Amino acid sequence: MDPPDADALTPVLRPVRAGNGFEEALEQILRIVRLGLVSGGERLPAERELAERLGISRVTLREALKVLQDQGLLESRRGRYGGTFVLPRPAAPAVGAERELRRRVAGLDIEDVLRFREVLEVGAAGLCAAHGLTVAQADRLRAALDATHDAPLAEYRRLDTLLHLTLAELSGSATLTGQYAAVRASVNDLLNCIPLLVRNLEHSQRQHTALVGAVLDGDADGAREIAREHCGGTAALLRGFLA
């Protein structure tokens, strides 16, 4: 089948922000599929057009498309009539999978959770950088960062959580730390509903390193901006998979 009229995708496709190109591109393509703007069996717009509309390189676009192929949502076909096609949705999900997803997401206002998480993480990063850390505190933060770098995939989310909890605790506010622990538990429930994506984890690690560096340098504005961007990448993935 021919790709849909470009105007039909205009409300969804838009240039992504530079900091989270992969995650936001994935979110927008997932939205196209989940809204049914490209039906099962239909072809997505050509890679060149998609890349231009999203404002990303074709390499980044292909990485996003590959993730969705691995998830069984898209299929790449070669030849004269080839391209990237949306696969028809199965008549029924895997036994228990849909029920578990609904159980975890039910009753959660995802947007509220994500906004609150961003407020707390941005605030904690700014406080740590502005107030400064002792030598022992700085060593503790570096150790938490190093643990995420060396983490096996199965342990990554736990150690990622510990890094962010450490940053919250080092902010010096027990109330902030308690609130962050609570909202992070909700975020982790959501994260456990989506796949671990190596490309996203690599990007997150670069952001973690930059964030810790800004905190240790006392760059409060930089730390806040990196934290905000980092939260935005996670939010884009969760919206794409769960919205």
Side-chain angles (χ1 to χ4, degrees), residues 207-225:
Q207 290 176 326
H208 285 158
T209 301
L211 175 59
V212 170
V215 168
L216 296 178
D217 288 343
D219 179 4
D221 288 341
R224 282 190 288 263
E225 186 55 36

Side-chain angles (χ1 to χ4, degrees), residues 66-74 194-197 241:
K66 178 64 166 57
V67 166
L68 300 182
Q69 290 167 22
D70 291 344
Q71 294 301 306
L73 297 173
L74 302 178
I194 71 173
L196 278 167
L197 307 178
F241 279 103

